[in-house]
Amino acid sequence: MATTNFLRHLSMRVGVTGGLSCPRVAPARAFPSGLRRAHTSSYTSRVLSASVGRSAVTAARGSAFYGYSAALQIRSTDSRSRSKATLAAAGAGGIAAMAASATVESEAASNPLLHQGDFPLFDQIKAEDVVPGMKQILEDVENSLKELEENAKPTWSGLVEPLEMLIDKLNVPWGAVSHLKGVKDSEALRTAVEEIQPLQVTLSSKFAQSQPLYNAFCALRDGPQWKTLTE
C-alpha cells in the first residue's frame, strides 16, 4: 500500500511518458515570488521602452516624411508658378508679335502701294494711300541700304543684284504716284506728294553718295570677276 502511494505520488511529480523526464512544475513555481516580480517588471519595462522607442522613431520618420512632402509641395507649387509666369510672359510676347505681324499684313493688304506684284495697282491707289504707304517703303529701303553697306561683297550677286532690288522697291511705287499725279491730279494727291518728295530725294541721295557702295564697286572692278561680266 505504501509502495502504491509512493508510486502515485511520484507519477504526479515526475512525467512518466516515455520514461522519466523533467519535473512537470509550472514555470512560475520555479522562481521565488520576489524574483518573478522583478523579472516580470524588467521584461515589461523593456517591452514598454522598445514600444516607446519604436513609436518615437515612427513619429520622427512621419515628421521627416511630412516635412519632405511639404517641401516638395512648396517646390512644386513654386515651379508651377514660375512656369505659369513664363508661359504667360511668352504668351503675351507671342500675342504682341502676332498682333504686330497682323497689323503689318493688314496694312499691306489695304494699301496698294505696298503690293509686291510685277505691276503697280494703278486702279486702286488713292491719295490717302501715298503718305502711309511711301513712309513705310522709305523706312524699309533705308534699313536695307544700311545692311547692304555693312555686308556688301565685291561680286555681282553680293552687290549689284541686291542694290537693284532696293532701287526697284523704292522707284516702282514712287513712279506710280508720280504717274497718277500727272494723269489724275488732285489737291489731296498734290499735298501727299509734297510731303513725301523731300524724304524720297534724301534717300535717293544716300544711294548716289554711299561711300561703302562706291568702295565695293571699285573692288568689283579690280577683282577677278570683272573680266567675266558682259555689258
Side-chain angles (χ1 to χ4, degrees):
M1 182 67 180
T3 303
T4 303
N5 292 334
F6 174 77
L7 291 176
R8 184 181 296 111
H9 178 73
L10 183 63
S11 65
M12 292 175 63
R13 300 296 303 271
V14 180
V16 296
T17 303
L20 292 176
S21 61
C22 59
R24 293 187 300 177
V25 181
R29 297 180 180 179
F31 302 96
S33 62
L35 290 177
R36 286 204 309 273
R37 286 195 298 271
H39 173 76
T40 303
S41 176
S42 175
Y43 175 76
T44 304
S45 299
R46 289 197 303 271
V47 171
L48 289 176
S49 298
S51 177
V52 171
R54 286 195 297 271
S55 299
V57 171
T58 303
R61 288 177 178 176
S63 299
F65 178 76
Y66 178 78
Y68 181 69
S69 300
L72 286 179
Q73 184 175 5
I74 293 173
R75 183 180 300 176
S76 177
T77 302
D78 184 58
S79 177
R80 287 196 299 269
S81 299
R82 288 197 301 268
S83 298
K84 289 180 179 179
T86 302
L87 290 175
I95 292 174
M98 291 173 63
S101 177
T103 301
V104 173
E105 292 179 357
S106 177
E107 291 179 354
S110 61
N111 196 320
L113 284 175
L114 300 178
H115 176 65
Q116 299 294 323
D118 295 331
F119 302 101
L121 303 177
F122 288 105
D123 59 332
Q124 300 181 23
I125 299 175
K126 299 179 178 63
E128 56 267 25
D129 298 326
V130 174
V131 173
M134 287 305 305
K135 282 187 175 180
Q136 181 65 49
I137 293 170
L138 290 168
E139 181 181 356
D140 293 344
V141 171
E142 185 171 9
N143 292 335
S144 299
L145 175 60
K146 292 178 180 178
E147 184 177 355
L148 180 60
E149 289 177 334
E150 295 174 357
N151 303 307
K153 298 179 181 179
T155 62
W156 186 267
S157 60
L159 175 62
V160 179
E161 290 181 356
L163 180 59
E164 287 186 345
M165 291 178 63
L166 287 181
I167 293 175
D168 286 344
K169 187 175 182 179
L170 174 62
N171 288 344
V172 169
W174 182 245
V177 173
S178 301
H179 174 73
L180 288 175
K181 185 178 180 299
V183 300
K184 193 179 179 179
D185 197 10
S186 66
E187 183 177 356
L189 186 55
R190 287 194 299 271
T191 301
V193 170
E194 290 174 0
E195 182 178 350
I196 295 299
Q197 192 166 23
L199 303 177
Q200 189 271 338
V201 171
T202 300
L203 183 55
S204 297
S205 299
K206 290 183 179 180
F207 276 95
Q209 300 173 5
S210 174
Q211 187 67 40
L213 294 183
Y214 172 77
N215 295 337
F217 272 106
C218 290
L220 176 61
R221 179 198 60 192
D222 299 334
Q225 193 182 26
W226 182 260
K227 295 180 181 180
T228 63
L229 301 177
T230 59
E231 296 182 357

